[in-house]
């Protein structure tokens, strides 16, 4: 038996999202470390909100990174075994790299704050958009985007599961792609209330800023294998890891293939590590084989400790 840990990204945040862990010293210490790096009290923000503050991209990204790492550290402190492989959804990849020892938390939290601001600045408000296409294959979504582009950018941004593809690009092109998708049989095409067209070609200016920042950050060879979003590949060379993080900003999150890759590595359980259960649902719907679990509080952490006892990395 082997298992994987996966770390959630933007969209899993909620006010009080760490309350279920009580007064865990490990979790509080992790938030204190990240807060010191940013000069801002992330624990108070997570505990008190309001929701509108948590949903601001520049807050969501460091909060979710810290929460994922905090739960990981609580797992390790409780005697949890080392996973065979780890991965993260979008900004969750940074959490995975911290868990794997490739990035220090302080560096990672500053990076994702910069990443978030760069993404927000890359496209003027109202210029871009995102939408979720439900019940249509990735191939037909790609066709709809190609038809709708008309000289603008629109393409798949998150390939979450076989029936849920998120598209991103210029607002007009996204709206046209929604109509083209419905004409091809999509069950629904839902505009998303996001502040920027993440993981689209419009994010290239953000990627350039991220690349400059990464030049000053120490990235080490991971101690645990990390499947990245952009290539669905495992990299050990720090230079290649940095390059993948830069390209990730303007490239689709290939989550369906990521889950398939975890299964190909012999993983029998995929454990979501962090607030919410979004990835657990996506893993189930990908139908690749592994059982989907989630650490959502101290009780589920204890239960998964039992399930994974004796696992070999």
């Amino acid at each position: 038996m082997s298992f994987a840990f996966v770390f959630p990204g933007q969209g899993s945040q909620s006010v009080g999202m760490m309350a279920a862990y009580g007064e865990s010293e490990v979790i509080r210490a992790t938030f204190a470390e990240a807060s010191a790096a940013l000069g801002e009290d992330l624990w108070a923000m997570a505990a008190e909100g309001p929701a509108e503050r948590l949903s601001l991209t520049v807050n969501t990204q460091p909060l979710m990174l810290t929460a994922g790492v905090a739960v990981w550290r609580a797992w390790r402190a409780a005697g949890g075994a080392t996973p065979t492989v780890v991965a993260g959804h979008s900004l969750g990849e940074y959490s995975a790299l911290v868990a794997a020892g490739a990035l220090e938390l302080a560096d990672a939290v500053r990076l994702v704050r910069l990443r978030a601001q760069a993404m927000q600045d890359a496209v003027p408000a109202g210029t871009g958009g995102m939408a979720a296409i439900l019940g249509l294959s990735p191939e037909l979504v790609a066709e709809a985007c190609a038809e709708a582009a008309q000289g603008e950018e629109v393409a798949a941004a998150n390939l979450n599961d076989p029936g849920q593809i998120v598209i991103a690009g210029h607002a007009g092109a996204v709206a046209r792609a929604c109509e083209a998708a419905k004409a091809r049989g999509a069950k629904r095409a839902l505009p998303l209330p996001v502040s920027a067209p993440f993981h689209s070609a419009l994010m290239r200016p953000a990627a350039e800023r991220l690349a400059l920042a990464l030049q000053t950050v120490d990235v080490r060879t991971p101690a645990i294998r990390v499947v990245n979003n952009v290539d669905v590949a495992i990299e050990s060379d720090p230079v290649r890891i940095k390059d993948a993080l830069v390209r990730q900003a303007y490239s689709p999150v290939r989550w369906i293939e990521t889950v398939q890759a975890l299964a190909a590595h012999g993983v029998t359980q995929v454990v979501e590590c962090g607030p919410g259960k979004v990835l657990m649902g996506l893993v189930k719907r990908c139908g690749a084989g592994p059982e989907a679990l989630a650490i959502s509080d101290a009780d589920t952490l204890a239960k998964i400790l039992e399930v994974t006892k004796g696992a070999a990395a």
Side-chain angles (χ1 to χ4, degrees):
M1 179 200 123
S2 69
F3 68 101
F5 262 43
V6 294
F7 295 85
Q10 203 157 332
S12 291
Q13 72 278 359
S14 63
V15 178
M17 61 188 181
M18 303 306 294
Y21 294 94
E23 291 299 310
S24 164
E25 290 183 10
V26 173
I27 284 176
R28 290 297 294 263
T30 303
F31 269 80
E33 182 182 338
S35 296
L38 288 185
E40 186 171 7
D41 190 342
L42 295 178
W43 182 261
M45 191 189 302
E48 301 165 10
E52 293 77 15
R53 187 181 181 200
L54 264 62
S55 67
L56 292 173
T57 299
V58 293
N59 292 330
T60 307
Q61 295 201 21
L63 274 172
M64 287 302 300
L65 165 77
T66 304
V69 173
V71 176
W72 163 258
R73 289 181 176 177
W75 166 264
R76 296 298 277 167
T82 304
T84 302
V85 61
V86 295
H89 190 284
S90 188
L91 82 93
E93 187 169 315
Y94 290 79
S95 306
L97 288 166
V98 174
L103 271 174
E104 293 293 338
L105 175 59
D107 288 332
V109 79
R110 286 189 288 260
L111 269 175
V112 299
R113 168 62 59 87
L114 178 142
R115 175 183 184 265
Q117 190 62 58
M119 286 177 157
Q120 193 65 64
D121 295 343
V123 180
T127 302
M130 298 183 79
I133 310 298
L134 306 181
L136 196 64
S137 72
E139 294 77 17
L140 288 176
V141 171
E143 278 187 17
C145 289
E147 176 188 305
Q150 299 177 22
E152 293 186 317
E153 295 286 352
V154 61
N158 298 336
L159 295 108
N160 286 332
D161 70 44
Q164 184 194 125
I165 310 298
V166 175
I167 61 173
H170 287 104
V174 169
R176 293 191 297 271
C178 286
E179 295 306 312
K182 286 188 281 190
R184 285 168 169 78
K187 291 179 182 177
R188 299 182 76 183
L190 305 170
L192 299 178
V194 296
S195 55
F198 305 119
H199 297 291
S200 75
L202 300 181
M203 291 291 105
R204 283 183 180 272
E208 291 170 5
R209 286 175 62 182
L210 183 59
L212 286 173
L214 277 163
Q215 289 178 10
T216 66
V217 173
D218 180 31
V219 174
R220 299 178 293 275
T221 298
I224 307 169
R225 290 175 289 181
V226 182
V227 178
N228 67 30
N229 286 181
V230 69
D231 301 316
V232 195
I234 294 172
E235 300 289 359
S236 59
D237 178 2
V239 173
R240 293 176 66 87
I241 290 169
K242 289 182 179 184
D243 175 63
L245 288 175
V246 170
R247 290 183 290 118
Q248 186 221 52
Y250 60 82
S251 302
V253 175
R254 297 162 62 183
W255 193 250
I256 302 168
E257 293 169 89
T258 297
V259 176
Q260 292 168 344
L262 298 179
H265 282 283
V267 164
T268 52
Q269 281 93 16
V270 175
V271 180
E272 182 169 5
C273 183
K277 299 180 181 178
V278 171
L279 297 187
M280 185 171 77
L282 297 185
V283 169
K284 287 179 178 178
R285 292 193 293 275
C286 283
E291 179 185 9
L293 306 167
I295 300 175
S296 53
D297 53 30
D299 289 340
T300 51
L301 190 153
K303 289 175 183 175
I304 294 170
L305 274 173
E306 287 299 312
V307 171
T308 57
K309 189 177 289 183

